[in-house]
Amino acid sequence: KQVVDTKAKVKVSLIAVKPKAKGGFQLWEGGPIWAETNLGDAEQGGPAEYGALYTFDNATNEVAKLGDGWRLPTRTEFDALISNCGKGEWTNHNGVYGCLFKGTGDYASKSIFLPAAGSNTGSGSGRKDAGVRGDYWSSTEKNATYTYSLFFNEKSGASVGSYLRDYGLPVLVVRDAK
């Protein structure tokens, strides 16, 4: 679709930008493939590695646009990540703090880094706790108000909890191994 500004005589293309999921790594036998980067850009502040913050409903809608089998991880997959790879190693990766999860067995040479991208309380107050903690959406709803998420920080490592659905969290997608 094109729009013409009659004063400036400029054509502007209105093309929806499709979100992208880059590459991916499998970390254990039978596990999913985890994307290499968070979804979206970092327009809400912080390094590009943080990605965007999404409410649960917005995350679900954006992930649906990806195609190629990409989806939000389930709570069970977050539990399996911790069970297979431990609580993560708090580290600084290219100037960004977060948790590194290393593969096991035949996948020991693989790893994923989840930036401590912070969150948003849904009140338009911007990104909070960036560089200090990470919370990532799963697809598993706890109830009408809460959805399960992966949480981590430097002191406690990773665990699974839940978050209010209208808060903004980053998204790291997965797809089934072929």
Side-chain angles (χ1 to χ4, degrees):
K1 182 177 178 181
Q2 291 188 339
V3 177
V4 177
D5 180 338
T6 56
K7 292 180 183 174
K9 305 268 190 224
V10 176
K11 291 182 181 180
V12 179
S13 294
L14 300 176
I15 300 170
V17 177
K18 183 178 178 181
K20 296 178 184 175
K22 182 179 172 187
F25 298 107
Q26 189 171 3
L27 299 178
W28 65 87
E29 181 67 36
I33 295 173
W34 300 82
E36 292 178 44
T37 60
N38 285 351
L39 191 62
D41 59 28
E43 65 185 40
Q44 294 118 335
E49 290 86 351
Y50 285 174
L53 299 176
Y54 300 91
T55 65
F56 177 73
D57 290 337
N58 287 341
T60 301
N61 292 335
E62 288 301 304
V63 171
K65 296 177 188 176
L66 294 173
D68 296 328
W70 291 109
R71 58 182 173 73
L72 285 171
T74 64
R75 177 192 175 166
T76 301
E77 288 167 330
F78 279 150
D79 286 334
L81 176 67
I82 295 167
S83 175
N84 286 291
C85 302
K87 290 186 165 231
E89 175 187 327
W90 185 261
T91 188
N92 184 319
H93 179 72
N94 297 325
V96 176
Y97 284 98
C99 261
L100 181 69
F101 294 90
K102 297 176 182 178
T104 60
D106 291 342
Y107 303 90
S109 66
K110 306 295 182 191
S111 63
I112 59 168
F113 175 74
L114 277 71
S119 64
N120 181 299
T121 61
S123 64
S125 56
R127 193 180 294 262
K128 295 190 184 254
D129 295 327
V132 176
R133 65 183 284 163
D135 292 283
Y136 284 75
W137 286 124
S138 83
S139 62
T140 310
E141 297 176 47
K142 182 175 182 178
N143 56 40
T145 307
Y146 288 88
T147 299
Y148 288 103
S149 63
L150 178 72
F151 164 80
F152 60 84
N153 64 24
E154 181 178 11
K155 291 181 182 179
S156 65
S159 62
V160 175
S162 61
Y163 230 89
L164 286 167
R165 296 166 53 111
D166 62 349
Y167 280 24
L169 302 183
V171 172
L172 184 71
V173 293
V174 298
R175 64 180 170 193
D176 295 331
K178 296 177 182 177

